[in-house]
Amino acid sequence: MFLYNLTLQRASGITHAVHGNFSGSRSQELVVSRGRSLELLRPDPNTGKVHTILTADIFGIVRSLMSFRLTGGSKDYIVVGSDSGRIAILEYNGSKNQFDRIHLETFGKSGCRRIVPGQYLAIDPKGRAVMIGAVEKQKLVYILNRDGQARLTISSPLEAHKSNTLVYHVVGVDVGFENPLFACLEIDYEESDMDPSGEAVHRTQQTLTFYELDLGLNHVVRKYHEPLEEHANFLIAVPGGNDGPSGVLVCSENYITYKNLGDQPDIRCPIPRRRNDLDDPERGMIFICSATHKTRTMFFFLAQTEQGDIFKITLETDEDVVTEIKLKYFDTVPPAVALCVLKTGFLFVASEFGNHYLYQIAHLGDDDDEPEFSSIMPLEEGDTFFYGPRNLLNLVLVDELDSLSPIMAAQIADLANEDSVQVYATCGRGPRSSLRVLRHGLEVAEMAVSELPGNPTAVWTVKRRAEEQYDAYIIVSFPNATLVLSIGETVEEVTDSGFLGTTPTLACSQLGEDALVQIYPDGIRHIRADRRVNEWKAPGKKTIVRCAVNHRQVVIALTGGEIVYFEMDPSGQLNEYTERKEMKSDVICMGVGRVAAGEQRCRFLAVGLADNTVRIISLDPNDCLTVLGMQALPALAESLSILEMGGGEGAGEGDQPQQHQHSTLYLNIGLQNGALLRTVLDSVTGDMSDTRSRYLGPKPVKLFRISMQGSEAVLAMSSRSWLSYYYQNRFHLTPLSYESLAYASGFSSEQCPEGIVAISENTLRILALEKLGAAFNQVSHPLEYTPRKFVIHSETNHLAMIETDHNCYTEDTKRQRKLQMAEELREAAGEEEAEVAEKMAEALLSENLPDAVFGSPKAGPGMWASVLRLLEPIQGNTLHLHRFEQNEAAFSICLVKFINHSDPEQPFLLVGTAKDYILSPRHVEKGYLYVYRFVKEGSSLELVHRTEVEDIPTAICPFGGRVLVGVGKLLRIYDLGKKKLLRKCENKHIPNLIVDIKSRGERVIVSDVQESVFYVRYKRHENQLIIFMDDTNQRCITTSVLLDYDTIASADKFGNIAVIRMGSDVSDNVDEDPTGNKALWDRGLLNGASQKADVIANFHVGETVNSLEKATLIPGGSDSLVYTTLSGTIGVLVPFTSREDHELFMNLEMHMRSEHPPLCGRDHLSFRSYFFPVKNVIDGDLCEQFNLVEATKQRSIAEDLDKTPSELSKTLEDIRTKYAF
């Protein structure tokens, strides 16, 4: 079996984020790392919407990311520390829309190792040097400079190693133009390593060490180090030189301290705590990330605590000596891995889990009533300040970036009866969790909907003048009239536009510089800017049946197949070409492209005829109206559209999108049988080649040309609407998640610069598509705790879900704890303060901070909260909610039918819970198995009974009318009894802990937490479970799925997917032992079973896979193996159906590895073989980068494979559309 890996939805969790000006056009941008890929985001300064400009796979793990700018430079570079053992410096190339690698310096082994640098990066604020550090021992400094051509140069590395030292954080200190200085948080473990008594560990202190790069002597020295009182977790560099006092802020547990070299005394301030916090009082508070903002006159820091509260930190100075630190509560946002304050006044929050946010900083928090805390306020040692969290005051949310990370569980089903499947994914952590329903399609934002006086047939938008940015009129055609609406603040009907209102319209357009043209059945109406109207009437009894029009040309077809061509002359007059062209059969549709910049005309006209052909007709004056080419079609053409696609992206707001240097002319053909064809049109000869087709739906396909991100795109309408567009260097054809439309046109106004105006029955709708490039749109339903697993009740399509959180209170305990704290307040107060205390107690009890905004209180280790929820997934209504008591945690859930029950078809819901579970060292008081039955037609649950077991029931699986339960490391069969479940059989030979059970027939496949899979046979006569086969490799399995009776696909927590199969020589009939004491399966091989499984396929995904499912993603498609990961990736492994395909892709992958190696220097083959050598899986993500390689390389690769480049990219597209999208 050979598999092909495809990513459908890229990872959406962010691990690092930096901001800067990467395109060099004075716009503020963000570069984020999503684990295995880098993404360039550009927030629109006017609307605040975040646009993804570029995504680049690096086939490696990004460990650290920084941006820097050389002194006096105008653009920022990106420096990446990855697992390649190399430092990579990248520059964004706007014309090609790609990251160019400027430098790649090797310094160590590949992989994430303790002593190989890459984990930490620090930049000198003036861009003169970069330090790259390892977790232990090694630190290297590279000097950055320019050569004579102003290109970036990098020196050889200078060492700043110190053995037996662990590093926690590294930062570049701002010292102006003095020698670059780096500050490190380090701890020396040599003494504690040598000490057998274990006392030295408690004496070891963390140190703050400064390393100076002497630019004169070209080496690095340890300049100064001092021990720290508290354990610190990160450093913030304070602006220096002319901008501030320099030095660092050391963020440690409960305190923030300012330190600097020289005479500066340490200034320290406690981190304030929330008033009336329900957190465990012993728990310390730390800052987790920060952002610095500096202008010419001032600077401040925003630092976020682990509860999500942001503090604004400012420093008071007296002649460059810091005298006090001031902290002020700013606002609360979700806990983040990175905060970025942009110069345009935005704050970007890259959340640890869940969606990412872009806020506008509305106020700097200087003039509100919030108390300001200072380091000079007198406090007892160990005391701190208190503040009350509140809703957003200084920040305004402007955009939200959907993130699925982490996907805890996912299933694929069509519960909404939409013919195409939905992906049901439970995402998130704690109170911000959600159930996301994903559908394949682009999300459509509805800007406006208005009713019309009848059912219109068509709609267009036109500008008044060519140079205007926005459209002026919407023209709506009815069967017997035409309505003209003007676009302004509102949309209103106008009568003085010059359009003829008493007739239906066939087409209209803006013509020349400032004229308009309306084509109606009886003629053509040319409306000049001064409202003079020129008319051309159709001859005799003929009428115009079809037409095509652009800014300079009008082509019409009269009844009987006669084509008349008009072109605009320099004076702005429409002139008819002397000859007319008679076609052999009736004209069904026509299409003409738009006039390219600097051209007089579009050279080609496409005509679809009733004889199932499309003909390309020249409009060049030299051979006007001669047929250049013809293509036969499988069905009648319904509509045609010629447009330019591909090439570079529009460069963005600043400079008008330069029309791509090497974009290609395409002819799109919509057929009456519901297929869409895309053909390449040779821009010189008009030849048609390289036709691709997709089936869109049962209705005829109508095509409309619209504009998306400065490029042309096609809206294709069949039974549902599809958008064909070119985005981030590849073609996308995606359905719109919206009701079916009848006719559409591009729309541009101030409120909606790139929209669509469409008609559906008797309504006019203005729509916008914002999330281009996304494979799925999502509907989100909030949950209470982290969702762990769910099952689908097939008769009602409801979901039964367990949600469990550690370190968390249940609602009851939270209430009791509040009452207890209020009581303590009253008791602690003396007689005078009784009234104040009473008020405070009442305020505490009435305070209701939603956990979804402010985070749930941390209860301490060993505290669990859990619920069982029955959910209707389409509307997201909770039908039934059962709360387990404090410290009882649900871990497994399953639907089971019991054969010995009076109704063997009645499904029971089994839930496995643990009581008083302590994670480390692992200890469980006891476990329970709850049995529920569905009542009220599946909309509620009723407890039948619960059974006590001695360990956690981690996995439950139905098995021939009974149930298999993994209780800790015991595999058991239970049956339904009157008062509890009855134990029937057990096997004690699974080594550690059962995490997953799958069964088919008499065969059971059990996954162990670290020893891979065990194949078990149940022998009914002896009532025994016998292990007859296991795997030779250790795998820490997270999930598995049966592919067939002998084959299982499993995923482990290190990001590998393996397919394991029972060999043909293995027998599961293991009772050939004549002595009767089953010595055969006791004897074993390598301390395991006597027979070993074959590994069919191995592949390293690079992110922990949490769910695997064998499913069909598109109607009429084939089965594929769908996986979802902790980072929010959704991908598929699809089988090759022919040996030729497999060999072609194997050779293509080999060429791509050598011709287009990954950006950050990781070897692709070794990345995909991180833990086990990659076997029988081809990486489609790498193969699809073939389209990004320059044309000469594409040709040489294609020649080696005996193909043309277009054939290869067609093959790549075909394998994707055959199984997925």
Side-chain angles (χ1 to χ4, degrees):
M1 179 166 68
F2 300 104
L3 299 170
Y4 181 75
N5 169 62
L6 274 176
T7 302
L8 303 183
Q9 168 90 38
R10 293 175 187 272
S12 46
I14 293 179
T15 57
H16 304 84
V18 294
H19 67 286
N21 172 359
F22 302 104
S23 56
S25 58
R26 306 203 67 157
S27 57
Q28 285 282 300
E29 290 144 338
L30 295 153
V31 168
V32 299
S33 132
R34 300 198 185 269
R36 294 178 313 161
S37 60
L38 293 175
E39 208 161 284
L40 179 70
L41 307 174
R42 184 179 294 151
D44 185 320
N46 305 323
T47 62
K49 288 278 178 271
V50 179
H51 299 296
T52 305
I53 306 297
L54 167 66
T55 306
D57 261 317
I58 68 155
F59 300 107
I61 297 166
V62 178
R63 299 168 70 191
S64 51
L65 185 69
M66 290 292 258
S67 65
F68 73 92
R69 177 182 297 202
L70 292 171
T71 310
S74 64
K75 76 183 287 189
D76 289 290
Y77 295 95
I78 306 148
V79 53
V80 185
S82 68
D83 60 342
S84 61
R86 299 164 166 191
I87 184 169
I89 297 183
L90 311 176
E91 178 184 19
Y92 173 64
N93 179 337
S95 58
K96 291 184 179 170
N97 191 35
Q98 66 185 36
F99 288 125
D100 289 344
R101 188 168 65 206
I102 304 206
H103 288 293
L104 187 65
E105 299 293 320
T106 308
F107 50 70
K109 292 180 174 175
S110 62
C112 295
R113 300 168 190 259
R114 245 172 38 173
I115 64 161
V116 176
Q119 189 65 29
Y120 302 107
L121 272 175
I123 297 278
D124 168 61
K126 292 281 183 265
R128 298 169 299 168
V130 54
M131 175 182 266
I132 184 164
V135 176
E136 186 182 330
K137 187 180 174 184
Q138 296 194 18
K139 288 185 279 299
L140 299 170
V141 178
Y142 289 91
I143 302 171
L144 305 166
N145 213 328
R146 293 193 179 85
D147 63 7
Q149 281 80 43
R151 289 188 305 239
L152 176 71
T153 61
I154 189 167
S155 72
S156 49
L158 307 171
E159 294 186 356
H161 300 343
K162 185 168 189 306
S163 50
N164 301 322
T165 304
L166 297 173
V167 178
Y168 290 85
H169 198 225
V170 184
V171 67
V173 184
D174 192 344
V175 287
F177 285 103
E178 292 176 21
N179 279 335
L181 193 65
F182 297 98
C184 299
L185 278 178
E186 300 181 341
I187 197 162
D188 190 324
Y189 67 80
E190 186 170 19
E191 194 184 339
S192 25
D193 214 23
M194 298 303 190
D195 170 38
S197 68
E199 287 168 17
V201 175
H202 304 294
R203 291 199 305 271
T204 307
Q205 279 182 301
Q206 216 178 9
T207 58
L208 174 66
T209 313
F210 288 96
Y211 290 90
E212 184 180 33
L213 165 64
D214 193 320
L215 289 170
L217 298 172
N218 209 21
H219 76 158
V220 183
V221 287
R222 291 187 75 197
K223 187 168 187 183
Y224 171 78
H225 71 111
E226 68 168 291
L228 299 174
E229 292 172 34
E230 291 92 14
H231 194 84
N233 61 319
F234 82 108
L235 301 169
I236 304 173
V238 177
N242 303 326
D243 301 325
S246 181
V248 290
L249 285 168
V250 182
C251 301
S252 48
E253 194 168 352
N254 297 328
Y255 287 95
I256 179 165
T257 314
Y258 173 79
K259 289 181 178 287
N260 199 357
L261 302 170
D263 309 333
Q264 172 72 49
D266 289 357
I267 310 286
R268 66 184 232 150
C269 183
I271 298 176
R273 304 288 289 246
R274 287 184 181 178
R275 195 178 297 119
N276 308 331
D277 202 1
L278 298 180
D279 270 19
D280 179 9
E282 298 301 306
R283 182 188 168 85
M285 181 56 65
I286 59 171
F287 283 132
I288 53 172
C289 65
S290 72
T292 308
H293 182 65
K294 91 175 177 200
T295 63
R296 289 201 171 88
T297 52
M298 51 77 107
F299 62 87
F300 64 84
F301 311 97
L302 296 180
Q304 187 184 36
T305 68
E306 53 191 323
Q307 290 175 319
D309 300 334
I310 295 181
F311 285 91
K312 180 183 171 191
I313 303 173
T314 49
L315 302 179
E316 290 295 316
T317 56
D318 178 17
E319 294 183 352
D320 272 2
V321 173
V322 174
T323 53
E324 66 172 312
I325 301 176
K326 288 184 173 175
L327 282 94
K328 193 170 190 180
Y329 171 60
F330 192 71
D331 264 327
T332 301
V333 301
V337 289
L339 297 174
C340 297
V341 177
L342 306 183
K343 289 197 171 74
T344 40
F346 292 114
L347 171 69
F348 179 70
V349 177
S351 306
E352 285 180 355
F353 294 111
N355 295 354
H356 313 294
Y357 300 92
L358 186 74
Y359 295 95
Q360 174 93 44
I361 302 177
H363 312 284
L364 290 177
D366 294 330
D367 44 5
D368 55 11
D369 315 331
E370 203 60 54
E372 190 162 46
F373 309 116
S374 161
S375 56
I376 54 174
M377 291 181 178
L379 271 181
E380 295 286 315
E381 181 63 35
D383 277 4
T384 183
F385 308 110
F386 292 97
Y387 64 94
R390 51 163 167 71
N391 287 324
L392 294 182
L393 185 68
N394 298 313
L395 298 174
V396 180
L397 181 63
V398 286
D399 198 15
E400 188 170 352
L401 280 71
D402 286 330
S403 164
L404 297 177
S405 166
I407 302 181
M408 300 301 292
Q411 292 196 39
I412 294 163
D414 179 17
L415 305 185
N417 297 324
E418 294 173 350
D419 298 338
S420 55
V421 294
Q422 303 94 47
V423 180
Y424 293 87
T426 52
C427 308
R429 179 184 70 173
R432 290 195 179 90
S433 311
S434 58
L435 168 75
R436 311 272 176 113
V437 183
L438 309 179
R439 293 176 173 83
H440 174 45
L442 276 177
E443 190 172 323
V444 178
E446 208 173 68
M447 297 297 186
V449 177
S450 56
E451 293 221 355
L452 292 169
N455 278 14
T457 53
V459 62
W460 299 270
T461 51
V462 292
K463 300 175 180 177
R464 274 201 196 86
R465 304 178 62 84
E467 66 268 13
E468 281 181 9
Q469 195 177 351
Y470 301 125
D471 293 323
Y473 298 121
I474 297 177
I475 290 98
V476 186
S477 170
F478 293 89
N480 55 0
T482 295
L483 178 70
V484 181
L485 307 169
S486 81
I487 304 170
E489 287 297 310
T490 58
V491 173
E492 286 157 2
E493 184 177 350
V494 287
T495 50
D496 60 347
S497 59
F499 282 92
L500 194 59
T502 55
T503 166
T505 301
L506 294 176
C508 57
S509 167
Q510 198 261 323
L511 202 64
E513 288 302 310
D514 52 7
L516 301 171
V517 64
Q518 175 189 13
I519 302 166
Y520 57 100
D522 296 331
I524 301 173
R525 192 176 172 92
H526 181 193
I527 306 156
R528 306 293 282 260
D530 52 9
R531 298 291 156 90
R532 282 183 303 153
V533 173
N534 298 349
E535 291 254 5
W536 180 92
K537 290 284 188 205
K541 291 192 175 172
K542 290 191 174 183
T543 56
I544 301 175
V545 284
R546 297 284 178 266
C547 60
V549 57
N550 62 26
H551 292 317
R552 302 186 62 85
Q553 296 159 289
V554 178
V555 190
I556 56 171
L558 303 173
T559 38
E562 190 176 6
I563 291 180
V564 189
Y565 171 51
F566 300 83
E567 190 174 314
M568 212 174 86
D569 66 12
S571 67
Q573 189 69 31
L574 264 186
N575 290 335
E576 183 187 337
Y577 182 66
T578 48
E579 294 169 29
R580 295 182 180 181
K581 175 86 176 172
E582 286 277 350
M583 296 313 270
K584 300 276 193 301
S585 55
D586 282 352
V587 175
I588 298 181
C589 50
M590 298 168 77
V592 64
R594 70 173 195 184
V595 183
E599 299 270 333
Q600 287 286 323
R601 62 184 71 78
C602 173
R603 296 194 38 209
F604 304 116
L605 164 72
V607 181
L609 299 178
D611 59 0
N612 285 13
T613 60
V614 164
R615 298 177 192 240
I616 299 296
I617 292 175
S618 167
L619 298 179
D620 197 304
N622 304 328
D623 54 353
C624 197
L625 298 186
T626 54
V627 176
L628 298 176
M630 174 190 117
Q631 182 166 350
L633 302 175
L636 282 174
E638 168 74 17
S639 81
L640 300 170
S641 173
I642 297 177
L643 72 163
E644 281 191 50
M645 287 169 90
E649 296 267 327
E653 312 88 34
D655 34 11
Q656 282 305 309
Q658 69 273 34
Q659 210 40 47
H660 334 299
Q661 304 81 8
H662 45 264
S663 53
T664 316
L665 211 53
Y666 287 96
L667 168 64
N668 288 275
I669 309 168
L671 301 183
Q672 292 191 356
N673 65 2
L676 170 68
L677 307 182
R678 188 180 83 224
T679 298
V680 176
L681 202 57
D682 188 300
S683 57
V684 179
T685 62
D687 291 342
M688 292 177 275
S689 60
D690 186 22
T691 304
R692 320 263 172 105
S693 70
R694 273 290 285 279
Y695 178 68
L696 302 188
K699 291 187 180 169
V701 178
K702 297 212 252 329
L703 303 177
F704 306 98
R705 182 168 55 210
I706 59 171
S707 163
M708 277 288 138
Q709 295 213 333
S711 314
E712 294 187 294
V714 178
L715 199 59
M717 289 178 187
S718 175
S719 50
R720 64 191 290 197
S721 310
W722 297 66
L723 184 69
S724 165
Y725 60 106
Y726 186 82
Y727 179 74
Q728 289 195 4
N729 306 335
R730 74 166 255 239
F731 281 101
H732 296 259
L733 179 60
T734 316
L736 304 188
S737 294
Y738 198 69
E739 56 200 87
S740 61
L741 303 169
Y743 204 97
S745 173
F747 175 82
S748 177
S749 74
E750 271 186 76
Q751 292 79 15
C752 177
E754 279 195 332
I756 297 168
V757 57
I759 51 178
S760 174
E761 292 172 344
N762 66 335
T763 57
L764 183 73
R765 295 157 192 261
I766 295 175
L767 313 171
L769 309 174
E770 283 156 0
K771 297 181 178 165
L772 293 185
F776 297 98
N777 74 42
Q778 41 182 284
V779 181
S780 179
H781 305 306
L783 304 173
E784 196 170 334
Y785 303 122
T786 307
R788 301 291 170 172
K789 290 177 181 166
F790 68 95
V791 290
I792 298 173
H793 183 233
S794 53
E795 287 149 37
T796 58
N797 284 354
H798 294 159
L799 307 186
M801 178 184 308
I802 49 174
E803 302 164 30
T804 302
D805 264 336
H806 182 233
N807 202 352
C808 185
Y809 294 117
T810 59
E811 289 298 311
D812 290 348
T813 322
K814 217 183 282 180
R815 246 191 321 275
Q816 288 163 9
R817 186 133 165 77
K818 273 190 174 176
L819 287 166
Q820 178 192 340
M821 282 171 72
E823 200 51 49
E824 282 169 7
L825 270 175
R826 292 187 185 111
E827 282 171 9
E831 305 227 334
E832 312 76 78
E833 299 150 5
E835 214 172 299
V836 183
E838 185 59 42
K839 275 188 184 161
M840 283 169 70
E842 278 173 18
L844 162 63
L845 292 173
S846 63
E847 182 179 65
N848 184 22
L849 296 173
D851 285 355
V853 181
F854 297 98
S856 56
K858 304 280 186 279
M863 301 286 275
W864 296 81
S866 200
V867 299
L868 167 65
R869 184 189 300 268
L870 192 63
L871 188 82
E872 190 280 313
I874 307 306
Q875 301 302 322
N877 304 325
T878 298
L879 307 170
H880 179 90
L881 188 70
H882 171 72
R883 295 183 182 280
F884 293 102
E885 45 193 80
Q886 181 76 50
N887 298 356
E888 189 172 345
F891 284 102
S892 52
I893 186 168
C894 188
L895 283 171
V896 181
K897 292 178 180 173
F898 289 102
I899 203 158
N900 68 357
H901 184 254
S902 54
D903 175 10
E905 284 306 304
Q906 181 184 351
F908 288 90
L909 185 69
L910 268 67
V911 178
T913 68
K915 187 90 177 96
D916 298 331
Y917 178 27
I918 295 166
L919 289 170
S920 174
R922 190 171 177 278
H923 172 74
V924 187
E925 196 63 32
K926 54 190 165 203
Y928 292 114
L929 281 166
Y930 287 81
V931 180
Y932 295 92
R933 70 159 62 90
F934 289 92
V935 290
K936 297 180 190 163
E937 290 156 357
S939 63
S940 184
L941 294 170
E942 176 183 274
L943 180 65
V944 181
H945 51 60
R946 81 171 184 184
T947 311
E948 192 176 306
V949 290
E950 61 271 39
D951 205 335
I952 310 177
T954 46
I956 309 176
C957 174
F959 181 66
R962 297 197 281 188
V963 63
L964 281 160
V965 182
V967 180
K969 58 182 187 176
L970 306 170
L971 178 64
R972 289 185 178 162
I973 298 180
Y974 281 93
D975 207 341
L976 187 69
K978 288 270 195 302
K979 298 278 178 65
K980 62 177 196 176
L981 291 171
L982 309 173
R983 179 161 47 168
K984 296 293 185 190
C985 173
E986 104 175 347
N987 179 317
K988 299 180 177 173
H989 293 276
I990 309 291
N992 303 300
L993 177 71
I994 295 170
V995 288
D996 196 20
I997 305 171
K998 294 283 184 280
S999 76
R1000 192 170 283 187
E1002 300 286 285
R1003 191 177 287 172
V1004 182
I1005 300 175
V1006 181
S1007 306
D1008 181 79
V1009 71
Q1010 69 186 57
E1011 291 291 345
S1012 193
V1013 295
F1014 293 86
Y1015 279 64
V1016 179
R1017 171 75 188 265
Y1018 176 59
K1019 315 209 71 165
R1020 237 170 236 288
H1021 299 306
E1022 292 101 20
N1023 189 28
Q1024 276 190 328
L1025 288 162
I1026 297 174
I1027 297 175
F1028 67 88
M1029 185 174 83
D1030 61 15
D1031 185 13
T1032 46
N1033 297 314
Q1034 278 199 332
R1035 299 178 202 276
C1036 300
I1037 298 223
T1038 54
T1039 180
S1040 65
V1041 62
L1042 281 173
L1043 298 182
D1044 61 38
Y1045 188 54
D1046 290 334
T1047 316
I1048 189 161
S1050 65
D1052 68 25
K1053 67 180 183 190
F1054 299 114
N1056 304 299
I1057 293 180
V1059 180
I1060 297 162
R1061 178 175 285 169
M1062 183 171 142
S1064 52
D1065 54 341
V1066 174
S1067 156
D1068 65 349
N1069 192 15
V1070 277
D1071 58 357
E1072 297 154 3
D1073 185 25
T1075 58
N1077 62 8
K1078 296 285 175 291
L1080 185 69
W1081 56 274
D1082 276 342
R1083 191 166 62 225
L1085 185 69
L1086 305 175
N1087 300 333
S1090 54
Q1091 308 177 90
K1092 297 295 169 193
D1094 297 341
V1095 178
I1096 300 293
N1098 267 329
F1099 185 70
H1100 179 70
V1101 175
E1103 293 155 9
T1104 304
V1105 174
N1106 261 358
S1107 82
L1108 283 172
E1109 188 170 357
K1110 186 173 144 190
T1112 309
L1113 286 172
I1114 47 175
S1118 312
D1119 269 353
S1120 49
L1121 181 62
V1122 184
Y1123 61 84
T1124 65
T1125 76
L1126 214 52
S1127 306
T1129 302
I1130 301 175
V1132 287
L1133 289 165
V1134 301
F1136 282 106
T1137 45
S1138 73
R1139 188 171 291 280
E1140 293 79 35
D1141 278 359
H1142 173 246
E1143 282 173 2
L1144 172 69
F1145 279 102
M1146 197 163 64
N1147 290 326
L1148 175 60
E1149 186 186 39
M1150 188 178 72
H1151 279 291
M1152 288 301 297
R1153 280 177 184 151
S1154 60
E1155 295 291 334
H1156 191 75
L1159 199 59
C1160 292
R1162 184 79 168 109
D1163 179 53
H1164 177 266
L1165 182 63
S1166 55
F1167 173 69
R1168 290 302 187 195
S1169 311
Y1170 230 119
F1171 293 85
F1172 305 101
V1174 64
K1175 180 176 183 183
N1176 293 352
V1177 182
I1178 284 171
D1179 187 5
D1181 292 348
L1182 179 71
C1183 294
E1184 285 189 346
Q1185 293 202 344
F1186 174 76
N1187 296 324
L1188 312 184
V1189 180
E1190 52 252 25
T1192 48
K1193 275 191 186 171
Q1194 278 190 3
R1195 279 196 294 275
S1196 79
I1197 293 173
E1199 277 166 18
D1200 287 349
L1201 302 176
D1202 295 336
K1203 298 265 185 196
T1204 64
S1206 60
E1207 283 171 348
L1208 264 184
S1209 59
K1210 184 176 180 179
T1211 317
L1212 285 164
E1213 201 174 302
D1214 287 349
I1215 193 162
R1216 188 177 257 278
T1217 53
K1218 180 175 172 186
Y1219 291 98
F1221 20 79

